[in-house]
Structures are given as C-alpha cells and as structure tokens.
Amino acid sequence: GAVVSQHPSRVICKSGTSVKIECRSLDFQATTMFWYRQFPKKSLMLMATSNEGSKATYEQGVEKDKFLINHASLTLSTLTVTSAHPEDSSFYICSASSIRLAANKGVSYEQYFGPGTRLTVT
Amino acid sequence: AQSVTQLGSHVSVSEGALVLLRCNYSSSVPPYLFWYVQYPNQGLQLLLKYTSAATLVKGINGFEAEFKKSETSFHLTKPSAHMSDAAEYFCAVSRFGNEKLTFGTGTRLTIIP
C-alpha cells in the first residue's frame, strides 16, 4: 500500500515559538491532504483540507492564522503551528488522498494516514 | 451532515472470544464507511472499508464488518480475539472515498488473557 510519512515524529518546543510539521506521500501523488488533531484519549478532529496549489479549507473553529497550511507540491503538505502555547500540545495526524483507476473496477479512492506527530509545548 | 456513533468507549473480551464493536452512522447520502485501528502513539491503519459494493466487507487481521442500511449500522466483528488486537478502534464516514472523514469517538478494545 501507499506510504505517508510525517516529520518530526515528536517535537518539544517552548511557548511562543513556531513549529513546522511535514506530511509526505512517498510513492504516490496526493491532490488532497487532510490535517487532523487528536487530544489524549479522544477522537480525531479534522482541522483543514489541503489541496495542492490552492488555499486550505479550515474547519469551523480552527484559526487559520495560527495553523498555517501549505501544499506546494503533490507530495508535500506542511502544517505550521505559530506562536505555540501549551494548549496546542496534541497529536497531529495527516492523511493523503489518491485516486486510482483500476481495470474493470472503475475509480477507487484511497486515503492513507501518516504515523502522527506528537507536539509538546512547554 | 454526517456522523458516526460508537457505542461503548471500552470493550473487554477474553482471548479467543468474539469481538463485536458497534458503529451506527447518519448520512444524507449513501456513505462510505471505514474502520481504522490505532496502536499507542501511532497513526491509523485501515482495517476495512465499505464503498457501496458488497455489504459484507472483509478486512485485514481477520476482521469483517456488515453494512446494514435498515439499521444504519456498520459493526465490526472478529470471530476469535488475539492479544495483538488490543488497540483503539475508530469508525469513520465520508461522502466519497477521498473526502474528509468524520470519526466516531473510538472504542478501546482490551483482550483478557
């Protein structure tokens, strides 16, 4: 199956600094990538949808100026947490979507998840 | 709008026993439905998905799920639990396979030796 990587896997930063998280699709091109946030022992909440070459679409309640998303290529999307605060500490997971045309099966949509990034803001 | 409800935030079964994790969905259009598994401090791994083809879907690791439109359910089952099945399980729904997913609150599965 397709592989999605995230870097870094863990990051600790001081309050007020900015942190960039990368999401890469390693063996396929992803026109759409999604960024989710997961609080401890909670479900995943979609933060934004990122389409290559266009502005990200943010979910209600997510500050677009705080969580900057860039999708400059078909294999890379970045999430930058600006002026991080302790309440931004969380597990951030990206996913990448691909569309496949399979013989006799039509169009197949697949979404693959990265391993996640644990952000701790002190 | 779409949503999923997972009944039971915590399920415990004995090793070798049947695993049943419940998921009910709400959708205004025919849904795509998914089950994912998450191990501690890891991302999500797709177990199986329903995409309007066969209503009984077989996935990895011996799991399967049945789409029942009349009950708006997509429960996950496994005939015989293994210790390695202990993890968090999420049910999710989307309008199309490549669209954003709406997740349930998750069910933590514990296997009793």
Side-chain angles (χ1 to χ4, degrees):
Chain A
V3 178
V4 176
S5 70
Q6 280 185 243
H7 178 79
S9 58
R10 287 178 176 269
V11 58
I12 301 173
C13 70
K14 292 185 177 181
S15 184
T17 61
S18 295
V19 174
K20 179 184 286 188
I21 302 170
E22 293 185 347
C23 177
R24 292 182 184 272
S25 56
L26 298 184
D27 52 0
F28 68 99
Q29 293 183 328
T31 54
T32 303
M33 290 184 172
F34 304 91
W35 286 96
Y36 296 85
R37 180 175 179 176
Q38 185 178 31
F39 293 97
K41 300 183 179 180
K42 297 287 186 182
S43 186
L44 285 79
M45 300 298 295
L46 179 69
M47 299 175 65
T49 301
S50 169
N51 291 297
E52 186 265 339
S54 64
K55 291 184 178 181
T57 301
Y58 290 81
E59 295 299 299
Q60 190 174 7
V62 177
E63 299 176 61
K64 62 180 181 181
D65 294 330
K66 181 169 183 61
F67 298 99
L68 301 178
I69 292 174
N70 182 277
H71 194 160
S73 76
L74 288 173
T75 59
L76 173 64
S77 177
T78 60
L79 167 68
T80 301
V81 183
T82 62
S83 187
H85 291 284
E87 56 265 32
D88 299 325
S89 298
S90 192
F91 194 53
Y92 293 87
I93 304 177
C94 73
S95 71
S97 175
S98 72
I99 301 175
R100 297 185 178 183
L101 293 174
N104 300 321
K105 294 184 179 180
V107 177
S108 172
Y109 300 97
E110 303 286 347
Q111 194 172 144
Y112 303 94
F113 282 82
T117 296
R118 172 77 59 193
L119 170 63
T120 302
V121 184
T122 61
Chain B
Q2 299 180 300
S3 66
V4 290
T5 301
Q6 290 184 243
L7 296 177
S9 60
H10 205 143
V11 171
S12 295
V13 301
S14 298
E15 189 175 15
L18 171 72
V19 175
L20 170 61
L21 304 183
R22 300 179 185 274
C23 174
N24 288 87
Y25 70 91
S26 173
S27 178
S28 57
V29 298
Y32 284 67
L33 292 160
F34 307 80
W35 274 101
Y36 287 89
V37 61
Q38 184 181 35
Y39 297 98
N41 295 312
Q42 295 187 25
L44 300 179
Q45 181 180 11
L46 179 66
L47 282 176
L48 48 81
K49 62 181 178 181
Y50 167 75
T51 58
S52 75
T55 56
L56 181 61
V57 182
K58 294 186 183 297
I60 63 172
N61 302 340
F63 284 94
E64 63 180 37
E66 186 173 7
F67 173 73
K68 291 186 177 180
K69 184 177 180 180
S70 61
E71 298 177 7
T72 61
S73 68
F74 190 58
H75 301 330
L76 180 71
T77 62
K78 181 174 181 177
S80 177
H82 294 166
M83 295 300 296
S84 60
D85 294 328
E88 188 87 20
Y89 291 79
F90 292 96
C91 181
V93 63
S94 71
R95 291 191 307 170
F96 303 104
N98 65 335
E99 276 207 355
K100 61 183 181 182
L101 294 168
T102 299
F103 285 88
T105 51
T107 297
R108 180 168 298 276
L109 177 63
T110 300
I111 309 299
I112 304 168

